Amino acid sequence: MKTSRFRRSNMLALAVLVCLSERPMHPYEMATLMRQRGKHESIKLNYGSLYTVVQSLQSARLIEPKEVEREGRRPERTVYRLAEAGQIEMVDWLSQLISTPVKEYPSFEAALSLLPALPPDEVVALLDVRCLHLEMELARHRSVRQVVAEHELPELFWVEDDFASAMTDAELGWTRRLSQRIKDGEMEGVEVWRQLARERGV
Amino acid sequence: MKTSRFRRSNMLALAVLVCLSERPMHPYEMATLMRQRGKHESIKLNYGSLYTVVQSLQSARLIEPKEVEREGRRPERTVYRLAEAGQIEMVDWLSQLISTPVKEYPSFEAALSLLPALPPDEVVALLDVRCLHLEMELARHRSVRQVVAEHELPELFWVEDDFASAMTDAELGWTRRLSQRIKDGEMEGVEVWRQLARERGV
DNA sequence: CTCCAAATATCCTGGTCAGAGTATATGGCT
DNA sequence: AGCCATATACTCTGACCAGGATATTTGGAG
């Protein structure tokens, strides 16, 4: 009986594999480590998911319990280690993530696709507010960079932040342009749009 | 008793509200409409979710069944209409989506945060493959634009595609730069990285 | 010395969602 | 005339996941 192939949905599972590729540890420790290294900024981390994910990795034979410890009367903690199949899976999964982009559904794109439901003037106002938020986000990224620069942390350990920052920057540029083009009617079909809103009685 | 506030998680629910703000219809018709207008490129659509989402909108009193039809011996179909609360919710939700960016977790960013788990040379190869994929995606976007230009569809109805295209473009630029900087050792810490991989025996 | 907030470590539960399944009708092809 | 692929319209089920609950220990303020 072949165990049904592991479902590569939750990135947290990959993070677990990577943690264990460093050394055996228990789930709570992985969480602490990820927090320390700021990985939770790029990978959604919450305890509920963490323990489920560890379970599913175990039942897929990618990791295995090494020992069960306990200090005083605190809850027991199970230390896991990476299985060989887990090492393979980790490299394979990570490689695929890098080499092959997947279609994702950012909520802003969704909102844009429903734009005709709001009147153009309101949209302009909302877009401008968004720009303010994005600018604040960029400032935050810059300050992060400042900090890592002071600690002389090599670039390797903050590429993800640089990426996020670059994407935010691109989004800001695009959003500004859109807002501007609606404002001065440069965008084709703004008339139709305003009409549409009026008909709908918004 | 106040009905617990509707959970704005699935964008599909918003799409349903917007569909019904146009006119009453039954779920399957919404799906067809979304497909026709290409909304399924920006909002993940599958029947399983659609019917659950409609259910939950109904129990939150945002939409209500208008009538139950049936043609021949085909399955019954329930036509829904937008409730007043639904109209409010739609405008409010959509406004929030536009005005306030939310932290999302793209899988490429996750992968980047785990980069040290792979040796640098492999990463370069993988990044280059990704670039190829992204170029193909951009080409696809361009051809979409060609088609909408031929049909003289106003820009309003394909902003989401333009956005996606701009983001892809930015990602491509960033990825190319990263690959290049690793290749020619311009990136700080590549030595440490290569060392790290060797120690790990990858 | 005592109390409260935060940290340690995991488990439970209800809601959500994707994929597959069901059953009829239509239209084109041979 | 008969057949298959596709369209119509939903339903079911199992997996997944986020949030909160639980129970102990440590550290710091007063």
Side-chain angles (χ1 to χ4, degrees):
Chain A
M1 111 209 167
K2 75 152 197 258
T3 31
S4 63
R5 191 151 129 11
F6 180 73
R7 216 189 127 197
R8 293 170 174 177
S9 47
N10 197 343
M11 288 305 117
L12 193 50
L14 181 56
V16 166
L17 292 177
V18 171
C19 282
L20 293 182
S21 84
E22 199 170 319
R23 60 183 156 78
M25 58 182 94
H26 56 96
Y28 190 83
E29 196 181 351
M30 301 175 200
T32 316
L33 199 62
M34 286 180 63
R35 285 251 160 77
Q36 265 172 24
R37 300 186 179 166
K39 299 311 178 196
H40 64 294
E41 300 279 341
S42 316
I43 297 174
K44 196 166 9 183
L45 167 62
N46 60 41
Y47 292 105
S49 317
L50 180 59
Y51 287 88
T52 341
V53 146
V54 164
Q55 270 297 354
S56 88
L57 281 171
Q58 181 182 353
S59 61
R61 311 297 180 118
L62 299 176
I63 67 177
E64 50 198 25
K66 193 191 151 206
E67 55 186 336
V68 178
E69 300 176 350
R70 129 168 283 168
E71 271 179 28
R73 216 177 298 173
R74 286 215 197 135
E76 282 185 344
R77 55 196 194 186
T78 311
V79 176
Y80 293 87
R81 87 171 119 227
L82 196 61
E84 282 142 66
Q87 166 76 19
I88 312 263
E89 176 70 8
M90 180 194 91
V91 172
D92 206 72
W93 186 0
L94 191 47
S95 301
Q96 166 144 359
L97 281 176
I98 296 169
S99 69
T100 314
V102 293
K103 219 255 163 288
E104 269 155 0
Y105 297 83
S107 55
F108 184 50
E109 190 184 329
L112 287 173
S113 83
L114 303 174
L115 223 46
L118 292 181
D121 305 309
E122 292 212 18
V123 167
V124 166
L126 294 166
L127 287 173
D128 290 344
V129 173
R130 184 183 196 84
C131 285
L132 288 179
H133 281 120
L134 291 174
E135 278 157 23
M136 284 167 52
E137 213 174 304
L138 276 178
R140 218 174 47 75
H141 278 295
R142 269 192 291 276
S143 77
V144 167
R145 253 187 235 190
Q146 190 106 33
V147 172
V148 298
E150 277 163 18
H151 288 252
E152 290 179 16
L153 199 59
E155 191 179 340
L156 171 60
F157 299 109
W158 48 275
V159 254
E160 70 272 22
D161 186 77
D162 189 58
F163 175 72
S165 172
M167 288 300 110
T168 305
D169 197 51
E171 185 180 327
L172 177 56
W174 188 89
T175 308
R176 276 204 189 117
R177 237 167 299 134
L178 178 63
S179 165
Q180 196 54 51
R181 304 188 35 167
I182 301 176
K183 257 178 235 161
D184 52 48
E186 196 190 323
M187 179 172 162
E188 8 150 11
V190 183
E191 325 306 322
V192 192
W193 186 2
R194 195 163 283 127
Q195 196 55 38
L196 213 118
R198 208 161 296 142
E199 278 165 26
R200 229 180 254 213
V202 184
Chain B
M1 111 214 166
K2 77 152 197 261
T3 32
S4 63
R5 191 149 129 14
F6 181 72
R7 220 191 122 197
R8 294 171 174 178
S9 49
N10 197 343
M11 288 305 116
L12 192 50
L14 181 55
V16 166
L17 291 178
V18 171
C19 282
L20 292 183
S21 84
E22 198 171 320
R23 60 183 155 79
M25 58 181 96
H26 58 93
Y28 189 82
E29 195 181 352
M30 301 175 199
T32 316
L33 200 62
M34 287 179 63
R35 286 251 159 76
Q36 266 173 23
R37 300 186 179 167
K39 299 311 177 196
H40 64 294
E41 300 280 340
S42 316
I43 298 174
K44 194 160 18 178
L45 167 63
N46 59 42
Y47 292 106
S49 316
L50 180 58
Y51 286 89
T52 344
V53 147
V54 164
Q55 271 296 354
S56 86
L57 282 171
Q58 182 182 352
S59 61
R61 311 296 180 118
L62 299 176
I63 67 177
E64 50 197 25
K66 191 191 152 205
E67 54 186 336
V68 179
E69 301 175 350
R70 134 166 279 169
E71 271 177 29
R73 216 178 297 175
R74 288 214 194 135
E76 282 185 344
R77 54 196 193 185
T78 310
V79 176
Y80 293 87
R81 87 171 119 227
L82 195 61
E84 282 142 66
Q87 165 76 19
I88 312 263
E89 176 69 9
M90 180 194 92
V91 171
D92 206 72
W93 187 0
L94 191 47
S95 299
Q96 168 144 358
L97 282 177
I98 296 170
S99 69
T100 314
V102 294
K103 219 256 162 288
E104 268 156 0
Y105 296 84
S107 55
F108 184 50
E109 190 184 329
L112 286 173
S113 83
L114 303 173
L115 224 47
L118 293 181
D121 306 308
E122 293 212 18
V123 167
V124 167
L126 294 166
L127 287 173
D128 289 345
V129 172
R130 184 182 195 85
C131 286
L132 288 179
H133 281 121
L134 291 174
E135 279 158 21
M136 283 166 53
E137 214 173 303
L138 277 178
R140 218 173 47 76
H141 278 294
R142 269 191 292 277
S143 77
V144 167
R145 254 187 235 192
Q146 190 106 35
V147 172
V148 296
E150 278 163 18
H151 288 251
E152 290 180 16
L153 199 59
E155 191 178 340
L156 171 60
F157 300 108
W158 48 275
V159 255
E160 70 271 23
D161 186 77
D162 189 58
F163 174 72
S165 173
M167 287 301 111
T168 305
D169 196 50
E171 185 180 328
L172 177 57
W174 188 89
T175 307
R176 276 205 188 118
R177 239 168 297 136
L178 178 64
S179 166
Q180 196 54 48
R181 302 182 35 139
I182 301 176
K183 257 179 236 163
D184 52 45
E186 195 191 324
M187 178 172 162
E188 8 148 11
V190 183
E191 326 304 321
V192 193
W193 186 3
R194 195 164 280 126
Q195 196 55 36
L196 214 118
R198 209 162 293 141
E199 278 167 24
R200 229 179 253 214
V202 184

